Coordinates of all heavy atoms in Angstrom, one line a residue:
K489 N 114.0 62.1 132.0 CA 113.9 63.6 131.6 C 115.2 64.4 132.0 O 115.7 64.2 133.1 CB 112.7 64.2 132.1 CG 111.4 63.7 131.6 CD 111.1 63.8 130.1 CE 109.8 63.2 129.7 NZ 109.5 63.4 128.3
S490 N 115.6 65.2 131.1 CA 116.7 66.0 131.5 C 116.2 67.1 132.5 O 115.0 67.4 132.5 CB 117.4 66.7 130.3 OG 116.3 67.6 129.7
G491 N 117.1 67.9 133.1 CA 116.6 68.9 133.9 C 115.9 70.0 133.2 O 114.9 70.5 133.8
I492 N 116.2 70.5 132.0 CA 115.6 71.5 131.3 C 114.1 71.0 131.0 O 113.2 71.8 131.1 CB 116.4 71.9 130.0 CG1 115.7 73.3 129.5 CG2 116.5 70.8 129.0 CD1 115.8 74.4 130.3
D493 N 114.0 69.8 130.6 CA 112.7 69.2 130.3 C 111.9 69.2 131.7 O 110.6 69.5 131.5 CB 112.8 67.9 129.7 CG 113.3 67.8 128.3 OD1 113.2 68.8 127.6 OD2 113.8 66.8 127.9
L494 N 112.4 68.9 132.6 CA 111.7 68.9 134.0 C 111.3 70.3 134.3 O 110.0 70.4 134.8 CB 112.5 68.3 135.2 CG 112.7 66.7 135.0 CD1 113.7 66.3 136.1 CD2 111.4 65.9 135.1
I495 N 112.1 71.3 134.2 CA 111.5 72.6 134.5 C 110.4 73.2 133.6 O 109.6 73.8 134.1 CB 112.9 73.6 134.4 CG1 113.6 73.6 135.6 CG2 112.3 75.0 134.2 CD1 113.0 74.1 136.9
K496 N 110.6 72.8 132.4 CA 109.5 73.1 131.5 C 108.2 72.4 131.8 O 107.1 72.9 131.8 CB 109.8 72.8 129.9 CG 110.9 73.8 129.5 CD 111.2 73.6 127.9 CE 111.9 72.2 127.6 NZ 112.2 72.2 126.2
M497 N 108.4 71.1 132.2 CA 107.1 70.4 132.7 C 106.6 71.0 133.9 O 105.4 71.1 134.2 CB 107.5 69.0 133.0 CG 107.8 68.1 131.8 SD 108.2 66.4 132.4 CE 106.8 65.8 133.3
L498 N 107.5 71.5 134.8 CA 107.0 72.0 136.1 C 106.2 73.4 135.9 O 105.2 73.6 136.5 CB 108.3 72.4 136.9 CG 107.9 73.0 138.3 CD1 107.1 72.0 139.2 CD2 109.3 73.4 139.0
I499 N 106.7 74.1 134.9 CA 106.0 75.4 134.6 C 104.6 75.1 134.0 O 103.6 75.6 134.7 CB 106.8 76.1 133.5 CG1 108.1 76.8 134.2 CG2 105.9 77.4 133.1 CD1 109.1 77.3 133.1
E500 N 104.5 74.2 133.2 CA 103.1 73.8 132.7 C 102.3 73.1 133.8 O 101.1 73.4 133.9 CB 103.3 72.7 131.6 CG 104.1 73.3 130.4 CD 104.3 72.2 129.1 OE1 104.1 71.1 129.6 OE2 104.6 72.6 128.1
N501 N 102.9 72.3 134.7 CA 102.1 71.7 135.7 C 101.6 72.8 136.8 O 100.6 72.8 137.3 CB 102.9 70.6 136.3 CG 103.1 69.5 135.6 OD1 102.4 69.3 134.7 ND2 104.1 68.6 135.8
F502 N 102.6 73.8 137.1 CA 102.3 74.9 137.9 C 101.2 75.7 137.4 O 100.2 76.1 138.2 CB 103.5 75.8 138.2 CG 103.4 77.0 139.0 CD1 103.2 77.0 140.3 CD2 103.1 78.3 138.4 CE1 103.0 78.1 141.1 CE2 102.8 79.4 139.1 CZ 102.8 79.2 140.5
I503 N 101.2 76.1 136.2 CA 100.1 76.9 135.5 C 98.6 76.2 135.7 O 97.8 76.7 135.9 CB 100.5 77.1 134.0 CG1 101.7 78.1 134.0 CG2 99.3 77.8 133.3 CD1 102.1 78.2 132.4
R504 N 98.8 74.8 135.3 CA 97.6 74.0 135.6 C 97.1 74.0 137.0 O 96.0 74.1 137.3 CB 97.8 72.6 135.1 CG 96.6 71.8 134.9 CD 96.9 70.4 134.3 NE 97.7 70.6 133.0 CZ 99.0 70.2 132.9 NH1 99.6 69.7 133.8 NH2 99.5 70.3 131.6
F505 N 98.0 73.9 137.9 CA 97.6 73.9 139.4 C 97.0 75.2 139.8 O 96.1 75.3 140.4 CB 98.9 73.7 140.2 CG 98.7 73.9 141.7 CD1 98.2 72.8 142.5 CD2 99.1 75.2 142.3 CE1 98.0 73.2 143.9 CE2 99.0 75.4 143.7 CZ 98.4 74.4 144.4
T506 N 97.5 76.4 139.2 CA 96.9 77.6 139.5 C 95.5 77.9 139.0 O 94.7 78.5 139.4 CB 97.8 78.9 139.2 OG1 98.2 78.8 137.7 CG2 99.2 78.8 139.9
E507 N 95.4 77.2 137.7 CA 94.0 77.4 137.1 C 93.1 76.6 137.7 O 91.9 77.0 137.9 CB 94.2 76.9 135.6 CG 95.0 77.8 134.7 CD 95.1 77.2 133.3 OE1 95.1 76.1 133.3 OE2 95.6 78.0 132.3
N508 N 93.4 75.3 138.3 CA 92.4 74.5 138.9 C 92.3 74.7 140.4 O 91.3 74.2 140.9 CB 93.0 73.0 138.6 CG 92.9 72.6 137.2 OD1 92.2 73.2 136.4 ND2 93.8 71.7 136.8
N509 N 93.2 75.4 141.0 CA 93.0 75.6 142.5 C 93.3 77.1 142.7 O 94.3 77.5 143.4 CB 94.2 74.8 143.2 CG 94.0 73.4 142.8 OD1 93.3 72.6 143.4 ND2 94.8 72.9 141.8
R510 N 92.4 78.0 142.3 CA 92.6 79.3 142.4 C 92.7 79.8 144.0 O 93.5 80.7 144.3 CB 91.4 80.1 141.9 CG 91.3 80.1 140.3 CD 92.4 81.0 139.8 NE 92.1 81.0 138.3 CZ 92.9 81.8 137.5 NH1 93.9 82.5 138.0 NH2 92.7 81.8 136.2
M511 N 91.9 79.2 144.7 CA 91.9 79.4 146.2 C 93.3 79.1 146.8 O 93.8 79.9 147.7 CB 90.7 78.7 146.8 CG 90.4 79.2 148.2 SD 91.3 78.4 149.6 CE 91.4 79.8 150.7
Y512 N 93.8 77.9 146.5 CA 95.1 77.6 147.0 C 96.1 78.5 146.6 O 97.0 78.9 147.4 CB 95.4 76.1 146.5 CG 94.9 75.0 147.1 CD1 94.9 73.7 146.5 CD2 94.3 75.1 148.3 CE1 94.3 72.6 147.1 CE2 93.6 74.1 149.0 CZ 93.7 72.8 148.4 OH 93.1 71.7 149.0
Q513 N 96.1 78.9 145.4 CA 97.1 79.9 145.0 C 97.0 81.2 145.8 O 98.1 81.9 146.1 CB 97.0 80.1 143.4 CG 97.9 81.1 142.7 CD 99.4 80.8 142.9 OE1 99.7 79.8 143.3 NE2 100.3 81.6 142.3
E514 N 95.8 81.7 145.9 CA 95.7 83.0 146.6 C 96.1 82.8 148.1 O 96.8 83.7 148.6 CB 94.1 83.3 146.7 CG 93.7 83.7 145.2 CD 94.3 84.9 144.6 OE1 94.8 85.8 145.5 OE2 94.6 84.9 143.4
A515 N 96.0 81.6 148.6 CA 96.4 81.3 150.0 C 97.8 81.4 150.0 O 98.4 81.9 151.0 CB 95.8 80.0 150.6
I516 N 98.6 80.7 149.1 CA 100.0 80.7 149.0 C 100.7 82.2 148.9 O 101.5 82.5 149.6 CB 100.4 79.8 147.9 CG1 100.2 78.3 148.2 CG2 102.0 80.0 147.5 CD1 100.3 77.4 147.0
L517 N 100.0 82.9 148.0 CA 100.6 84.3 147.8 C 100.3 85.1 149.1 O 101.0 85.9 149.4 CB 99.9 84.8 146.6 CG 100.2 84.3 145.2 CD1 99.5 84.9 144.1 CD2 101.6 84.3 145.1
N518 N 99.2 84.9 149.7 CA 98.8 85.7 150.9 C 99.8 85.3 152.0 O 100.5 86.2 152.7 CB 97.5 85.4 151.5 CG 97.1 85.9 152.8 OD1 96.9 87.2 152.8 ND2 97.1 85.2 153.8

Side-chain angles (χ1 to χ4, degrees):
K489 297 291 184 180
S490 65
I492 190 64
D493 287 338
L494 289 177
I495 279 292
K496 289 187 288 187
M497 286 178 58
L498 180 62
I499 294 170
E500 293 174 348
N501 291 339
F502 175 81
I503 292 171
R504 193 176 303 113
F505 171 81
T506 60
E507 289 174 342
N508 297 334
N509 303 278
R510 292 286 188 179
M511 196 272 148
Y512 280 166
Q513 177 65 359
E514 292 302 322
I516 289 169
L517 292 178
N518 178 73

